[in-house]
Amino acid sequence: MALSEARAWPSVYDAGVPRWELRGQAISFGLWLAITGIAAYLKPNPVGHGTHQYLGLPPCPSVLMFDRPCPGCGLTTSWTALVHGDFAFAFHAHPLGPILYGIFTAVALLGGYGFLTGQRLRTYTDKVTRLTGIDAAAFVIFGVARFALMPHFAAKYERALFEASKQP
């Protein structure tokens, strides 16, 4: 039996694909590179969420209006803490953050390699579709549970912003 026939792992790539058909993989890698660079530049907000506000973005509307987190609250802080090597705080800020960043990183790196070598990353298989559905369902279920179980999520400065917005 030839070595190529004996490989235990099936290939995650389709070979011989024109490079212009792989531009999505290059874009994914570029986005990962930009997000990782931004995370390296930022400092995680010690509150556990709100790091995106350092980029000039507004606070989360869910936090301001309901004093409860949306499903994504803490992801920027989690990813920033992870890039800075603070794994415990990354999981504290958003328990799914390090897992999602790991998946994002793997797909981006595999896609970038595929782009450079002219191979399409197989993301269209039934297995990948099922795993993506499971990940999305887990994120939504987690988000709903967290919204229901975490009142008084807003930091003091966020509460003050909300109160000031109600003033005429």
Side-chain angles (χ1 to χ4, degrees):
M1 176 179 343
L3 183 60
S4 62
E5 294 173 17
R7 84 178 142 186
W9 293 91
S11 175
V12 295
Y13 297 106
D14 291 326
V17 179
R19 188 160 316 260
W20 65 270
E21 288 185 21
L22 304 175
R23 63 188 175 277
Q25 292 177 196
I27 291 169
S28 294
F29 179 76
L31 284 172
W32 173 82
L33 201 58
I35 288 169
T36 302
I38 290 168
Y41 167 76
L42 293 173
K43 299 286 185 254
N45 189 327
V47 172
H49 66 278
T51 299
H52 66 282
Q53 293 174 49
Y54 298 149
L55 296 171
L57 299 170
C60 175
S62 175
V63 173
L64 291 180
M65 291 188 294
F66 307 116
D67 200 10
R68 292 173 183 268
C70 77
C73 275
L75 278 177
T76 304
T77 303
S78 176
W79 288 18
T80 300
L82 191 65
V83 168
H84 285 267
D86 191 347
F87 300 106
F89 190 65
F91 277 103
H92 169 74
H94 196 294
L96 298 179
I99 297 164
L100 293 173
Y101 185 76
I103 293 168
F104 180 41
T105 298
V107 170
L109 293 177
L110 289 169
Y113 175 79
F115 177 77
L116 291 175
T117 59
Q119 302 177 82
R120 179 184 295 122
L121 182 61
R122 291 184 182 167
T123 58
Y124 53 83
T125 65
D126 289 340
K127 186 176 186 177
V128 171
T129 301
R130 278 192 304 276
L131 287 173
T132 303
I134 289 168
D135 289 346
F139 185 75
V140 169
I141 291 167
F142 170 79
V144 169
R146 190 165 117 159
F147 185 88
L149 300 173
M150 292 188 77
H152 311 299
F153 188 77
K156 288 181 183 180
Y157 71 91
E158 291 167 325
R159 285 192 198 100
L161 279 174
F162 180 66
E163 292 302 322
S165 72
K166 294 192 305 187
Q167 302 297 324

